[in-house]
Amino acid sequence: MHMQIQQALEDTCTSIGHDSRARSDTQTSVIVEDEHLVDLDVLYARLNTTPDNGLTETQASDLYEMNGPNAITPLHQRSDIVKFLRHLVGGFSLLLLAASALSFVAYGIQYAGGTEDNVVDNLFLGLILLALVLVTGGFTYYQEAKSEKIVKSFIKLAPKRARVLREGELYEVLVEELVVGDIVDVTSGDIVPADIRIIRNNGLKVDNSSLTGESEPQPRSDKSADLHPLESKNMAFFSTYAVEGNCRGVVVRTGDCTKMGAIARVTGMTSGEKSPLAIEIDHFITFITLFAVIFGVMFFIMAVVKGHKTLEAFIYLIGIITANVPEGLLPTLTVCLTLTAQRMKSRNCLLHKLEAVETLGSTSVICTDKTGTLTENKMSVAHLWYNMQMHDAIRADNGDISMAAQRSASKGWEALTRVMCLCSRAVFEENQDHIAVRDRKCNGDASEFMRSLSTPTINISCPFMSRQYTRSGHILVIKGAPEKIIDQCSTFINVNEEEVQIDDGFIASFTETHTRLANQGERVFGFAHKFLDPDEFPEGCEFDRIDRLLNNLCFVGVVSLMDPPRAAVPAAVASCRRAGIKVIMVTGDHPNTAKAIGRAVGIISPGVRTTDEIAPLDGEPQAIVVHGTDLARMKDYDIDAILQNHSEIIFARTLPEQKLRIVEGCQRVGWVVAVTGDGVNDAPALRKANIGIAMGITGTEVAKQVADMILLDDNFASIVSAIEEGRLLFDNLKKTISYALTANIPELTPFLFFILAGIPLPIGSIAIVLICIGSDIVPAISLAYETAESRLMERKPRNSVTDRLASHALIFQAYGQSGMIESAAGFLTYFVVMGESGFMPSTLLGLSVAWNDPTANVQDSFGQDWTYENRKNLEYTCYTAFFVSIVVSQWVNLIICKTRRNSFFEQTRQINYYTVFALMIATGLAVLLAYCSEIGTYLAFREIRLEWWFVPISFAIFLFVYDELRKHLVRMFTNTTLAAEAPKLHSNGPKCQELGWSCIPLALETYDNWGKEAHDTFSRLESYLAIHQTSPKSPVVIEIDGRLNRALVRSIVRAILARELLPS
């Protein structure tokens, strides 16, 4: 494979301006790759472009028409016909097709042998099974196409763009619209939009790992060239990304003719892996298929041993296979995904793969950024500190900062504003002069706030560092975290406008100011400058190592910004708490700023003290704020201990690469991690997390590409909405499986009693198939439209290892409980019909062989003779009655499957009209088959008495009452075997709040390090209760984790009573 890739890279299309729609065709002539070697003037002439103006719009349009879009052609794209055929032979469809084929074989054998018995039945059975496959396959294909269309519309909401120079104007276009000869700008965080020759470089480094496997970022240059294009530093390649710096380049290759396009053709790298949900579905299909085949073969053997004809046993095999297939599952899955896609779109969440939303539903911890995610990302200046004096920012109506008194003749003000402007890349979008400053749209980082203090446009090499040449020489300016900037300074501008040496008095004033602003939740920046020696650094000199100049700077001031929390975030964080999801803030801001925002949004609870606020002997604090420098010194087990022993965590002053260590730590302790990110350095953490979430507004293209989900509004509340959608998707799929599997038992047990007890067959294969069509598929699909249960977001996160889609508990509930009750209803109806016709249950035992013998007459319990024809009419009447009993029972089964934990009466507040429609379809089909003689004659159905409809109703009522009682016990005794399948609530807190009570959840982690001494336990509990400030006038519920040692629980209760820690 390595040799193939190398060959592909060497054989990349080299002609410029050829038709990219024929890129995969064999080239009849090859032009030597020399774009990286020739002089730029020669290259410009060859491409008919200029570095100052770029292409004209006419040129770009013509080249686009000739070469096609700048995109790699997807490999292995299946046509619609192939996709449809895959649905016809995939999943359970293959099993049904096999059953259909066997039916046709049985029909052929009987027809060829001249046997008239059941010939038409088997023909109709085969046709119905074939029609069932076509209908379910077509419906699944339609829904999948609908989902794909929605996903494609998602992509259009967050298109990839590139900055291109055309006709002298720099603006953004879609990456697909780039053509050979375009002049493009690439900056840190961008994905290189095409293969480009660098014509102007400013410290650019690119990550070529996806192309060459090199793990270290590679520096680029506008001069260095190597004979091999991949080794040439003046080239940057399509789909690699810029880690640092920026550059301008000319496009020399696009789409399939890029180096990455060559690799894609050889390796098929565009194909994806199966999602966890797809693997889960495959696992379930495999289980059901094996069960159906093994069970069917066993029955076939037993039927032959019992004396049945081989052909008869063969037909019974078909019935058993058909009875085991939950035909409604796959259509329901596609409907669920389609509905999820529509809802996610309305909630500003873009998923690269819809199946990833199911993993979101299992999320147990969210590692979130602060700026722009928890806050509004609308920075405004709150305070300025320069000349060792604090100044409040006063804004005019148009948003400009008004400081006329400070501006005039103030050396400190001039120095501060100069540094702020030079260190900012933020620019207002065009044609906004008539809009107030605060309302204008701005391109750039949220912290680059001072563009309204207009300065001449400059070329900036780095967002936090810049240089400018003045009459007195170069000036180096820098911004960043105040404590970092101050370490690189030796002087400051004092109150007398003089530059003096930093002393203890200045350090004390600086520290007090910094701490006070950070404690107010403001984001604080420090600014410094340095005038360089004009003799050592003349005009036009190259700066390749600016970092060595970062010493002996002059500190010019501090600016604080206020970024208010988003209004919806506190409620979203509270929802996460109720759902058992831990929210961890990971930010580069000062710890005090992070803590203030954390308290404002609820990451740190009211009244809860952090490690720096609680004395060592006052008990173990719940909350902790970890500084990035401390995190750098920690071992992995230290990080694990923090994550496990503290319920409220903030990581502050962290580096992007440290976010990866935090994510790995969360995964080591067994959590499913969702992590947010927006920068290039966030990419490893986004890729490592179970769900990577990129910011749609502030996120770089690199972050968006590696993430599983993109937040189009950068809002934390949207993450919680997505988690709810993931839980709802999994919930509805489990409801569908429970509903479908329940009907398998009343469809299988008739064959079991037929073979083992020798009774006439209670229900035929055609009736079973019709149950699948009328009473399985449509009702199962209707469950996809169920809304979330009232306390869905109060459940514990799902354990993806133990809580499978088709868990043992669910199978036992469907097969061993509900299915058995439905079977009892069917057999009661069967015995009633037989009894009223003269056949008592004792007479039916062992009667099956004689019953199916066309030459024999059979006597009933009263001695009456029954001919074969009369017996068959009675048998078909039993088919109909058994069919009706299953339909009636499935009415109730559909109703009880609407909830997994709540009472049905809680879910009736929102009517699912699709469920009502499904009940009407199932009932209508039963009436049609029972009372339309023309149809019944061909499908082995006969008319039944009206009173026989009421026989199974008693069992249906019992099933409803039993399930309501089961769910009630589940809600009362959550840790019993009975509640194994029901989702567990994380906390009783919301219910207690409704009653006006206090609720203190004490989880297992709370006690992990408490020791065995009762006194230590009691004192810590006392501190815990004091922190929560429980009211003496209202009851208090202490929720104790069931995994705790019982002796410890008894000790806690005795301590509460003996020490009167709580009101009686």
Side-chain angles (χ1 to χ4, degrees):
M1 177 60 72
H2 177 72
M3 294 299 295
Q4 287 179 311
I5 295 175
Q6 286 294 107
Q7 185 66 33
L9 292 175
E10 293 173 4
D11 294 344
T12 308
C13 309
T14 55
S15 56
I16 300 173
H18 67 285
D19 189 344
S20 66
R21 284 167 291 194
R23 294 168 191 161
S24 59
D25 295 341
T26 304
Q27 301 294 316
T28 56
S29 61
V30 177
I31 302 174
V32 178
E33 293 185 52
D34 61 353
E35 298 89 354
H36 59 295
L37 298 173
V38 300
D39 291 337
L40 285 174
D41 291 337
V42 175
L43 185 60
Y44 296 147
R46 181 187 298 176
L47 302 178
N48 198 21
T49 188
T50 62
D52 298 324
N53 295 309
L55 298 174
T56 66
E57 289 293 344
T58 303
Q59 287 178 303
S61 178
D62 292 342
L63 287 170
Y64 184 85
E65 287 296 323
M66 180 171 61
N67 296 338
N70 173 36
I72 295 177
T73 305
L75 300 181
H76 311 302
Q77 267 197 327
R78 299 185 180 96
S79 66
D80 291 338
I81 295 177
V82 172
K83 291 179 181 178
F84 176 68
L85 292 176
R86 282 175 61 85
H87 285 298
L88 294 185
V89 297
F92 294 119
S93 297
L94 194 59
L95 203 58
L96 292 175
L97 285 174
S100 176
L102 292 176
S103 299
F104 289 128
V105 170
Y107 165 74
I109 293 173
Q110 288 179 320
Y111 185 81
T115 305
E116 296 181 1
D117 180 38
N118 287 337
V119 171
V120 178
D121 289 357
N122 291 322
L123 175 61
F124 279 128
L125 177 60
L127 292 174
I128 292 172
L129 287 171
L130 186 59
L132 178 62
V133 171
L134 291 173
V135 171
T136 55
F139 182 80
T140 306
Y141 164 76
Y142 167 74
Q143 289 293 338
E144 185 181 78
K146 193 174 179 181
S147 296
E148 290 177 355
K149 185 177 180 180
I150 294 173
V151 172
K152 289 178 181 178
S153 71
F154 275 171
I155 297 173
K156 293 179 181 178
L157 294 176
K160 296 179 181 179
R161 295 184 174 274
R163 290 177 294 279
V164 62
L165 181 70
R166 288 179 183 171
E167 297 183 352
E169 295 290 335
L170 187 64
Y171 56 93
E172 287 190 349
V173 299
L174 295 176
V175 169
E176 291 184 352
E177 296 176 1
L178 287 181
V179 296
V180 173
D182 267 329
I183 306 297
V184 296
D185 282 354
V186 177
T187 191
S188 175
D190 289 347
I191 295 176
V192 179
D195 285 1
I196 64 173
R197 163 80 180 269
I198 298 173
I199 61 177
R200 188 171 68 208
N201 181 54
N202 197 359
L204 179 70
K205 289 184 179 180
V206 294
D207 185 335
N208 281 345
S209 58
S210 60
L211 186 66
T212 64
E214 295 168 301
S215 58
E216 293 296 323
Q218 303 298 307
R220 301 289 91 179
S221 170
D222 55 357
K223 297 177 181 178
S224 175
D226 190 278
L227 289 178
H228 197 290
L230 283 177
E231 302 296 331
S232 183
K233 292 186 177 182
N234 63 358
M235 295 290 293
F237 300 101
F238 181 52
S239 82
T240 61
Y241 60 87
V243 177
E244 182 181 317
N246 55 74
C247 78
R248 174 165 287 187
V250 57
V251 176
V252 295
R253 301 182 193 285
T254 61
D256 288 343
C257 282
T258 61
K259 296 295 183 184
M260 192 59 71
I263 294 178
R265 288 200 306 276
V266 174
T267 64
M269 60 181 293
T270 55
S271 59
E273 297 181 355
K274 283 189 175 182
S275 67
L277 181 59
I279 294 173
E280 193 78 15
I281 293 293
D282 287 347
H283 174 268
F284 176 68
I285 290 174
T286 302
F287 167 76
I288 292 296
T289 301
L290 289 176
F291 180 81
V293 173
I294 293 173
F295 211 68
V297 171
M298 288 174 56
F299 267 70
F300 176 80
I301 295 172
M302 285 191 293
V304 173
V305 171
K306 287 283 186 177
H308 292 276
K309 296 179 181 178
T310 303
L311 186 58
E312 287 181 1
F314 194 65
I315 295 171
Y316 303 148
L317 169 66
I318 298 172
I320 291 171
I321 292 176
T322 306
N324 273 285
V325 176
E327 292 84 353
L329 177 62
L330 295 184
T332 304
L333 172 62
T334 55
V335 171
C336 282
L337 292 176
T338 302
L339 294 174
T340 300
Q342 293 171 341
R343 289 193 288 256
M344 294 290 277
K345 184 176 182 180
S346 66
R347 297 190 180 196
N348 294 311
C349 297
L350 186 160
L351 283 166
H352 291 307
K353 288 186 177 180
L354 283 177
E355 292 87 347
V357 74
E358 184 274 328
T359 308
L360 262 174
S362 308
T363 299
S364 51
V365 63
I366 302 173
C367 296
T368 176
D369 292 327
K370 178 183 74 67
T371 303
T373 308
L374 299 176
T375 61
E376 293 182 356
N377 199 29
K378 295 180 180 178
M379 291 289 188
S380 57
V381 179
H383 297 91
L384 299 95
W385 186 76
Y386 58 93
N387 293 351
M388 295 187 68
Q389 294 177 337
M390 181 69 71
H391 303 278
D392 291 334
I394 305 172
R395 286 170 189 77
D397 290 339
N398 65 352
D400 282 322
I401 297 176
S402 177
M403 293 188 174
Q406 285 77 16
R407 292 184 187 184
S408 58
S410 172
K411 180 179 178 182
W413 168 258
E414 292 177 357
L416 180 59
T417 54
R418 178 173 57 237
V419 178
M420 285 192 291
C421 293
L422 291 176
C423 284
S424 173
R425 291 184 301 176
V427 293
F428 287 130
E429 293 185 2
E430 297 180 357
N431 303 320
Q432 296 191 100
D433 295 339
H434 61 287
I435 303 175
V437 171
R438 63 171 176 267
D439 296 326
R440 295 180 191 175
K441 294 182 179 180
C442 184
N443 294 324
D445 187 85
S447 65
E448 297 171 346
F449 49 84
M450 293 297 290
R451 187 61 182 171
S452 57
L453 304 172
S454 56
T455 60
T457 302
I458 56 171
N459 293 325
I460 299 174
S461 61
C462 173
F464 294 98
M465 218 172 357
S466 182
R467 56 184 171 80
Q468 187 181 45
Y469 190 80
T470 65
R471 293 180 179 179
S472 57
H474 285 282
I475 177 174
L476 175 70
V477 294
I478 185 172
K479 80 170 181 183
E483 66 271 27
K484 300 291 185 183
I485 299 297
I486 197 71
D487 289 342
Q488 298 169 325
C489 297
S490 59
T491 61
F492 71 99
I493 301 175
N494 66 10
V495 69
N496 298 320
E497 305 277 331
E498 299 171 344
E499 184 174 336
V500 297
Q501 291 294 317
I502 291 177
D503 55 18
D504 292 340
F506 172 79
I507 293 296
S509 178
F510 163 81
T511 303
E512 189 274 333
T513 299
H514 182 204
T515 303
R516 178 159 60 90
L517 294 175
N519 285 342
Q520 295 171 190
E522 299 174 16
R523 190 176 182 184
V524 187
F525 288 90
F527 297 85
H529 69 203
K530 180 178 183 179
F531 290 94
L532 304 181
D533 185 352
D535 295 331
E536 184 179 357
F537 301 97
E539 183 177 2
C541 68
E542 291 290 334
F543 288 85
D544 55 345
R545 290 290 307 277
I546 292 182
D547 55 333
R548 64 186 178 88
L549 303 176
L550 298 181
N551 54 68
N552 296 322
L553 304 179
C554 174
F555 193 85
V556 298
V558 167
V559 174
S560 69
L561 301 95
M562 190 63 188
D563 184 13
R566 292 180 182 268
V569 168
V573 172
S575 180
C576 287
R577 284 181 176 275
R578 292 193 296 270
I581 300 170
K582 180 178 289 190
V583 181
I584 299 174
M585 182 194 297
V586 183
T587 178
D589 271 351
H590 190 274
N592 291 337
T593 306
K595 184 164 59 177
I597 295 296
R599 290 192 185 279
V601 301
I603 292 178
I604 298 181
S605 303
V608 174
R609 292 176 287 176
T610 59
T611 49
D612 58 333
E613 297 172 338
I614 191 169
L617 299 178
D618 286 345
E620 189 74 23
Q622 271 189 296
I624 186 172
V625 179
V626 182
H627 197 286
T629 54
D630 298 329
L631 181 63
R633 293 192 293 266
M634 290 180 182
K635 303 295 184 183
D636 287 346
Y637 56 80
D638 295 322
I639 298 176
D640 297 350
I642 288 175
L643 294 172
Q644 290 178 298
N645 297 332
H646 296 86
S647 60
E648 300 174 351
I649 306 172
I650 292 176
F651 291 95
R653 281 289 187 250
T654 55
L655 300 174
E657 50 268 27
Q658 289 177 326
K659 185 182 290 187
L660 177 61
R661 293 194 66 197
I662 297 169
V663 171
E664 290 173 338
C666 291
Q667 292 176 332
R668 278 196 302 273
V669 299
W671 295 338
V672 177
V673 188
V675 63
T676 67
D678 55 10
V680 175
N681 292 332
D682 289 330
L686 291 171
R687 188 181 290 111
K688 177 66 176 176
N690 301 89
I691 289 289
I693 305 171
M695 301 297 105
I697 299 174
T698 60
T700 60
E701 288 297 334
V702 175
K704 293 177 185 178
Q705 179 170 289
V706 302
D708 301 288
M709 186 174 82
I710 299 175
L711 293 183
L712 298 178
D713 58 355
D714 289 11
N715 194 342
F716 178 83
S718 298
I719 302 175
V720 181
S721 298
I723 291 174
E724 185 176 0
E725 290 295 338
R727 291 189 172 193
L728 178 59
L729 171 67
F730 194 82
D731 228 27
N732 286 347
L733 286 178
K734 287 188 80 79
K735 293 173 185 177
T736 299
I737 291 175
S738 178
Y739 175 82
L741 293 184
T742 298
N744 287 358
I745 294 300
E747 294 170 2
L748 283 174
T749 49
F751 289 95
L752 180 66
F753 277 83
F754 170 70
I755 297 297
L756 298 180
I759 65 174
L761 187 63
I763 189 170
S765 298
I766 293 180
I768 290 176
V769 174
L770 292 174
I771 288 173
C772 297
I773 295 175
S775 189
D776 274 8
I777 294 180
V778 179
I781 291 174
S782 74
L783 290 172
Y785 292 88
E786 281 297 322
T787 55
E789 293 186 40
S790 58
R791 304 183 72 181
L792 178 68
M793 288 301 287
E794 295 172 22
R795 299 176 185 172
K796 294 180 179 180
R798 180 177 67 86
N799 188 322
S800 56
V801 177
T802 59
D803 190 3
R804 304 295 296 270
L805 191 60
S807 62
H808 297 298
L810 182 145
I811 293 173
F812 172 70
Q813 179 188 323
Y815 282 173
Q817 299 175 47
S818 301
M820 289 300 179
I821 295 174
E822 289 194 12
S823 295
F827 276 103
L828 177 62
T829 309
Y830 169 76
F831 287 125
V832 167
V833 174
M834 281 293 194
E836 291 186 5
S837 301
F839 291 92
M840 294 295 107
S842 58
T843 306
L844 295 173
L845 296 177
L847 191 62
S848 60
V849 176
W851 185 277
N852 292 318
D853 186 355
T855 63
N857 284 343
V858 175
Q859 288 187 341
D860 61 19
S861 302
F862 303 99
Q864 301 178 81
D865 287 334
W866 285 73
T867 64
Y868 179 75
E869 182 180 355
N870 291 334
R871 295 197 305 269
K872 281 300 173 182
N873 281 327
L874 178 58
E875 182 178 331
Y876 295 157
T877 303
C878 289
Y879 288 0
T880 309
F882 207 103
F883 176 89
V884 167
S885 72
I886 294 178
V887 169
V888 172
S889 300
Q890 286 290 81
W891 289 349
V892 174
N893 187 32
L894 180 62
I895 291 172
I896 66 177
C897 284
K898 287 169 66 68
T899 64
R900 294 178 61 209
R901 181 186 179 89
N902 291 355
S903 168
F904 162 75
F905 300 103
E906 293 183 36
Q907 197 74 359
T908 53
R909 298 168 186 172
Q910 291 182 327
I911 299 176
N912 182 354
Y913 292 101
Y914 294 96
T915 300
V916 177
F917 174 74
L919 291 173
M920 293 173 60
I921 289 291
T923 306
L925 180 63
V927 171
L928 182 68
L929 293 173
Y931 299 107
C932 184
S933 58
E934 291 80 3
I935 297 177
T937 302
Y938 292 102
L939 300 181
F941 281 82
R942 295 294 184 268
E943 184 176 340
I944 63 173
R945 299 176 189 172
L946 182 62
E947 59 265 27
W948 290 341
W949 281 78
F950 293 94
V951 175
I953 288 180
S954 58
F955 279 89
I957 295 173
F958 173 74
L959 175 60
F960 179 80
V961 173
Y962 170 81
D963 196 73
E964 282 293 304
L965 178 62
R966 181 186 66 83
K967 290 173 182 174
H968 177 71
L969 294 175
V970 162
R971 295 192 294 272
M972 290 183 61
F973 308 104
T974 56
N975 292 322
T976 61
T977 305
L978 183 67
E981 169 52 22
K984 308 298 187 296
L985 293 184
H986 173 65
S987 173
N988 289 318
K991 188 67 177 177
C992 295
Q993 291 171 7
E994 292 175 10
L995 300 172
W997 299 356
S998 300
C999 180
I1000 303 173
L1002 299 182
L1004 177 64
E1005 304 85 54
T1006 314
Y1007 301 93
D1008 278 347
N1009 299 315
W1010 277 28
K1012 299 180 180 179
E1013 293 296 326
H1015 176 75
D1016 185 35
T1017 300
F1018 302 155
S1019 62
R1020 290 177 183 271
L1021 177 62
E1022 203 165 15
S1023 299
Y1024 189 91
L1025 296 172
I1027 289 173
H1028 277 76
Q1029 300 174 344
T1030 56
S1031 169
K1033 295 182 180 180
S1034 64
V1036 177
V1037 175
I1038 297 185
E1039 191 176 51
I1040 301 176
D1041 196 308
R1043 297 170 291 175
L1044 288 172
N1045 181 278
R1046 291 187 177 183
L1048 179 59
V1049 173
R1050 286 194 293 269
S1051 299
I1052 293 172
V1053 173
R1054 283 196 292 268
I1056 293 171
L1057 297 176
R1059 301 194 177 201
E1060 298 181 350
L1061 298 180
L1062 296 176
S1064 58

